[in-house]
Amino acid sequence: DTEVTQTPKHLVMGMTNKKSLKCEQHMGHRAMYWYKQKAKKPPELMFVYSYEKLSINESVPSRFSPECPNSSLLNLHLHALQPEDSALYLCASSQTGQGGYGYTFGSGTRLTVV
Amino acid sequence: GQNIDQPTEMTATEGAIVQINCTYQTSGFNGLFWYQQHAGEAPTFLSYNVLDGLEEKGRFSSFLSRSKGYSYLLLKELQMKDSASYLCAVRVDSGYSTLTFGKGTMLLVSP
């Protein structure tokens, strides 16, 4: 298995809703990431998990709450989002350590906040 | 912080060769990656350079000069399906490894 699987592919939610994005990989990667990508912009790093521990939080508002239940799963819990949070949310994973370890990206969740 | 620059758009003709440049300024540099991204899809890994020189992979080659903070992606024998955004990304290690992307170069291949 060489894929990162993200669900759902599309999500429309109201500003008072609570929803979760899910990400799963079975490549044995111990680093997992959440990126946010607006249209015609590059992906922007939100969170980094290394060995199931949150390593980096790039000043992301608390309405986004990440969770890493185990080495294969990564969730992003959403609550009280704003319309400007509408974007493509990408999950990625990689091996840790040195070397040419590119990130493997999931196909993303297209989120629309109404 | 990191500063990564690449051209916004480029156009080329099917069958031609195109070079997409990327310059970067960063601390803790530990590798440069090129990704291809079609509209509405996830980025896909193309190449990786950590030492100076050229890495060749089929129709794609990537070059790195660490002293100049410069890389390029060379695409040969262009095909229509190569129309996409090409993202230059720098890996920085400062305790933890992170990948920071440039703004991307939109390549349009015409017949």
Side-chain angles (χ1 to χ4, degrees), chain A residues 69-90:
Chain A
N70 59 56
S71 61
S72 299
L73 295 174
L74 185 66
N75 298 322
L76 186 62
H77 303 298
L78 314 173
H79 173 56
L81 293 194
Q82 304 296 310
E84 59 264 29
D85 296 322
S86 298
L88 179 67
Y89 287 84
L90 293 163

mmCIF file of all heavy atoms in Angstrom, chain A residues 69-90:
data_model
loop_
_atom_site.group_PDB
_atom_site.id
_atom_site.type_symbol
_atom_site.label_atom_id
_atom_site.label_comp_id
_atom_site.label_asym_id
_atom_site.label_seq_id
_atom_site.Cartn_x
_atom_site.Cartn_y
_atom_site.Cartn_z
ATOM 1 N N PRO A 69 -4.528 9.298 16.648
ATOM 2 C CA PRO A 69 -4.857 8.175 17.539
ATOM 3 C C PRO A 69 -3.807 7.062 17.527
ATOM 4 O O PRO A 69 -3.596 6.405 18.539
ATOM 5 C CB PRO A 69 -6.192 7.663 16.991
ATOM 6 C CG PRO A 69 -6.719 8.744 16.123
ATOM 7 C CD PRO A 69 -5.532 9.473 15.593
ATOM 8 N N ASN A 70 -3.201 6.833 16.349
ATOM 9 C CA ASN A 70 -2.135 5.839 16.252
ATOM 10 C C ASN A 70 -1.257 6.179 15.061
ATOM 11 O O ASN A 70 -1.496 7.173 14.372
ATOM 12 C CB ASN A 70 -2.715 4.412 16.151
ATOM 13 C CG ASN A 70 -3.612 4.225 14.955
ATOM 14 O OD1 ASN A 70 -3.209 4.468 13.816
ATOM 15 N ND2 ASN A 70 -4.848 3.802 15.202
ATOM 16 N N SER A 71 -0.272 5.348 14.792
ATOM 17 C CA SER A 71 0.722 5.682 13.776
ATOM 18 C C SER A 71 0.167 5.688 12.353
ATOM 19 O O SER A 71 0.833 6.163 11.442
ATOM 20 C CB SER A 71 1.898 4.712 13.853
ATOM 21 O OG SER A 71 1.462 3.382 13.618
ATOM 22 N N SER A 72 -1.037 5.167 12.161
ATOM 23 C CA SER A 72 -1.601 5.102 10.813
ATOM 24 C C SER A 72 -2.695 6.125 10.568
ATOM 25 O O SER A 72 -3.095 6.326 9.420
ATOM 26 C CB SER A 72 -2.196 3.707 10.553
ATOM 27 O OG SER A 72 -1.214 2.710 10.648
ATOM 28 N N LEU A 73 -3.182 6.748 11.619
ATOM 29 C CA LEU A 73 -4.359 7.607 11.495
ATOM 30 C C LEU A 73 -4.061 9.037 11.929
ATOM 31 O O LEU A 73 -3.333 9.266 12.899
ATOM 32 C CB LEU A 73 -5.506 7.065 12.345
ATOM 33 C CG LEU A 73 -6.084 5.716 11.944
ATOM 34 C CD1 LEU A 73 -7.116 5.265 12.968
ATOM 35 C CD2 LEU A 73 -6.700 5.779 10.560
ATOM 36 N N LEU A 74 -4.663 9.960 11.227
ATOM 37 C CA LEU A 74 -4.562 11.379 11.577
ATOM 38 C C LEU A 74 -5.918 12.010 11.329
ATOM 39 O O LEU A 74 -6.504 11.815 10.266
ATOM 40 C CB LEU A 74 -3.491 12.057 10.720
ATOM 41 C CG LEU A 74 -3.160 13.511 11.039
ATOM 42 C CD1 LEU A 74 -2.522 13.632 12.414
ATOM 43 C CD2 LEU A 74 -2.225 14.095 9.979
ATOM 44 N N ASN A 75 -6.420 12.711 12.324
ATOM 45 C CA ASN A 75 -7.708 13.381 12.190
ATOM 46 C C ASN A 75 -7.528 14.884 12.308
ATOM 47 O O ASN A 75 -6.568 15.370 12.924
ATOM 48 C CB ASN A 75 -8.673 12.912 13.295
ATOM 49 C CG ASN A 75 -8.968 11.425 13.230
ATOM 50 O OD1 ASN A 75 -9.102 10.867 12.150
ATOM 51 N ND2 ASN A 75 -9.062 10.792 14.393
ATOM 52 N N LEU A 76 -8.478 15.609 11.742
ATOM 53 C CA LEU A 76 -8.527 17.059 11.935
ATOM 54 C C LEU A 76 -9.964 17.408 12.293
ATOM 55 O O LEU A 76 -10.871 17.265 11.468
ATOM 56 C CB LEU A 76 -8.090 17.802 10.674
ATOM 57 C CG LEU A 76 -7.968 19.311 10.806
ATOM 58 C CD1 LEU A 76 -6.893 19.690 11.835
ATOM 59 C CD2 LEU A 76 -7.639 19.960 9.452
ATOM 60 N N HIS A 77 -10.163 17.808 13.543
ATOM 61 C CA HIS A 77 -11.494 18.136 14.039
ATOM 62 C C HIS A 77 -11.762 19.619 13.790
ATOM 63 O O HIS A 77 -10.905 20.475 14.063
ATOM 64 C CB HIS A 77 -11.612 17.805 15.524
ATOM 65 C CG HIS A 77 -11.312 16.365 15.833
ATOM 66 N ND1 HIS A 77 -12.066 15.328 15.329
ATOM 67 C CD2 HIS A 77 -10.323 15.803 16.578
ATOM 68 C CE1 HIS A 77 -11.573 14.178 15.748
ATOM 69 N NE2 HIS A 77 -10.517 14.428 16.504
ATOM 70 N N LEU A 78 -12.947 19.874 13.269
ATOM 71 C CA LEU A 78 -13.317 21.226 12.845
ATOM 72 C C LEU A 78 -14.525 21.706 13.647
ATOM 73 O O LEU A 78 -15.504 20.970 13.800
ATOM 74 C CB LEU A 78 -13.669 21.228 11.358
ATOM 75 C CG LEU A 78 -12.722 20.481 10.416
ATOM 76 C CD1 LEU A 78 -13.308 20.435 9.010
ATOM 77 C CD2 LEU A 78 -11.358 21.135 10.429
ATOM 78 N N HIS A 79 -14.458 22.931 14.133
ATOM 79 C CA HIS A 79 -15.571 23.466 14.925
ATOM 80 C C HIS A 79 -15.611 24.980 14.781
ATOM 81 O O HIS A 79 -14.600 25.652 14.922
ATOM 82 C CB HIS A 79 -15.399 23.081 16.400
ATOM 83 C CG HIS A 79 -16.405 23.731 17.300
ATOM 84 N ND1 HIS A 79 -17.766 23.614 17.106
ATOM 85 C CD2 HIS A 79 -16.251 24.524 18.388
ATOM 86 C CE1 HIS A 79 -18.410 24.294 18.043
ATOM 87 N NE2 HIS A 79 -17.520 24.861 18.826
ATOM 88 N N ALA A 80 -16.807 25.482 14.515
ATOM 89 C CA ALA A 80 -17.013 26.929 14.413
ATOM 90 C C ALA A 80 -16.117 27.563 13.363
ATOM 91 O O ALA A 80 -15.465 28.591 13.611
ATOM 92 C CB ALA A 80 -16.814 27.604 15.781
ATOM 93 N N LEU A 81 -16.075 26.945 12.196
ATOM 94 C CA LEU A 81 -15.229 27.477 11.136
ATOM 95 C C LEU A 81 -15.853 28.713 10.492
ATOM 96 O O LEU A 81 -17.049 28.968 10.633
ATOM 97 C CB LEU A 81 -14.994 26.404 10.070
ATOM 98 C CG LEU A 81 -14.174 25.187 10.494
ATOM 99 C CD1 LEU A 81 -13.749 24.394 9.259
ATOM 100 C CD2 LEU A 81 -12.969 25.573 11.310
ATOM 101 N N GLN A 82 -15.023 29.429 9.775
ATOM 102 C CA GLN A 82 -15.423 30.631 9.060
ATOM 103 C C GLN A 82 -15.403 30.367 7.550
ATOM 104 O O GLN A 82 -14.670 29.481 7.093
ATOM 105 C CB GLN A 82 -14.472 31.778 9.390
ATOM 106 C CG GLN A 82 -14.357 32.075 10.873
ATOM 107 C CD GLN A 82 -15.681 32.554 11.445
ATOM 108 O OE1 GLN A 82 -16.306 33.457 10.901
ATOM 109 N NE2 GLN A 82 -16.100 31.939 12.546
ATOM 110 N N PRO A 83 -16.145 31.139 6.783
ATOM 111 C CA PRO A 83 -16.116 30.935 5.319
ATOM 112 C C PRO A 83 -14.712 31.005 4.731
ATOM 113 O O PRO A 83 -14.426 30.276 3.768
ATOM 114 C CB PRO A 83 -17.002 32.077 4.803
ATOM 115 C CG PRO A 83 -17.963 32.337 5.914
ATOM 116 C CD PRO A 83 -17.174 32.124 7.170
ATOM 117 N N GLU A 84 -13.839 31.797 5.309
ATOM 118 C CA GLU A 84 -12.477 31.892 4.759
ATOM 119 C C GLU A 84 -11.649 30.628 5.015
ATOM 120 O O GLU A 84 -10.538 30.495 4.477
ATOM 121 C CB GLU A 84 -11.726 33.113 5.333
ATOM 122 C CG GLU A 84 -11.589 33.125 6.838
ATOM 123 C CD GLU A 84 -12.668 33.943 7.522
ATOM 124 O OE1 GLU A 84 -13.789 34.052 6.976
ATOM 125 O OE2 GLU A 84 -12.373 34.490 8.605
ATOM 126 N N ASP A 85 -12.186 29.706 5.810
ATOM 127 C CA ASP A 85 -11.503 28.429 6.012
ATOM 128 C C ASP A 85 -11.778 27.446 4.875
ATOM 129 O O ASP A 85 -11.205 26.348 4.854
ATOM 130 C CB ASP A 85 -11.943 27.793 7.346
ATOM 131 C CG ASP A 85 -11.543 28.627 8.539
ATOM 132 O OD1 ASP A 85 -10.435 29.215 8.519
ATOM 133 O OD2 ASP A 85 -12.344 28.719 9.498
ATOM 134 N N SER A 86 -12.634 27.827 3.975
ATOM 135 C CA SER A 86 -12.903 26.976 2.809
ATOM 136 C C SER A 86 -11.618 26.807 2.017
ATOM 137 O O SER A 86 -10.965 27.794 1.644
ATOM 138 C CB SER A 86 -13.982 27.606 1.926
ATOM 139 O OG SER A 86 -15.196 27.727 2.631
ATOM 140 N N ALA A 87 -11.234 25.567 1.753
ATOM 141 C CA ALA A 87 -9.963 25.274 1.086
ATOM 142 C C ALA A 87 -9.871 23.775 0.835
ATOM 143 O O ALA A 87 -10.757 23.006 1.219
ATOM 144 C CB ALA A 87 -8.776 25.724 1.946
ATOM 145 N N LEU A 88 -8.781 23.377 0.198
ATOM 146 C CA LEU A 88 -8.440 21.968 0.060
ATOM 147 C C LEU A 88 -7.516 21.614 1.223
ATOM 148 O O LEU A 88 -6.481 22.262 1.413
ATOM 149 C CB LEU A 88 -7.732 21.721 -1.274
ATOM 150 C CG LEU A 88 -7.279 20.283 -1.572
ATOM 151 C CD1 LEU A 88 -8.492 19.372 -1.763
ATOM 152 C CD2 LEU A 88 -6.389 20.243 -2.808
ATOM 153 N N TYR A 89 -7.892 20.613 1.997
ATOM 154 C CA TYR A 89 -7.070 20.189 3.135
ATOM 155 C C TYR A 89 -6.371 18.891 2.757
ATOM 156 O O TYR A 89 -7.011 17.881 2.454
ATOM 157 C CB TYR A 89 -7.935 20.034 4.393
ATOM 158 C CG TYR A 89 -8.340 21.388 4.917
ATOM 159 C CD1 TYR A 89 -9.450 22.049 4.396
ATOM 160 C CD2 TYR A 89 -7.576 22.045 5.879
ATOM 161 C CE1 TYR A 89 -9.809 23.315 4.837
ATOM 162 C CE2 TYR A 89 -7.925 23.307 6.321
ATOM 163 C CZ TYR A 89 -9.035 23.945 5.793
ATOM 164 O OH TYR A 89 -9.368 25.207 6.223
ATOM 165 N N LEU A 90 -5.054 18.963 2.780
ATOM 166 C CA LEU A 90 -4.225 17.852 2.341
ATOM 167 C C LEU A 90 -3.538 17.208 3.533
ATOM 168 O O LEU A 90 -2.973 17.897 4.384
ATOM 169 C CB LEU A 90 -3.155 18.339 1.365
ATOM 170 C CG LEU A 90 -3.639 18.841 0.013
ATOM 171 C CD1 LEU A 90 -2.551 19.655 -0.672
ATOM 172 C CD2 LEU A 90 -4.070 17.691 -0.860
#
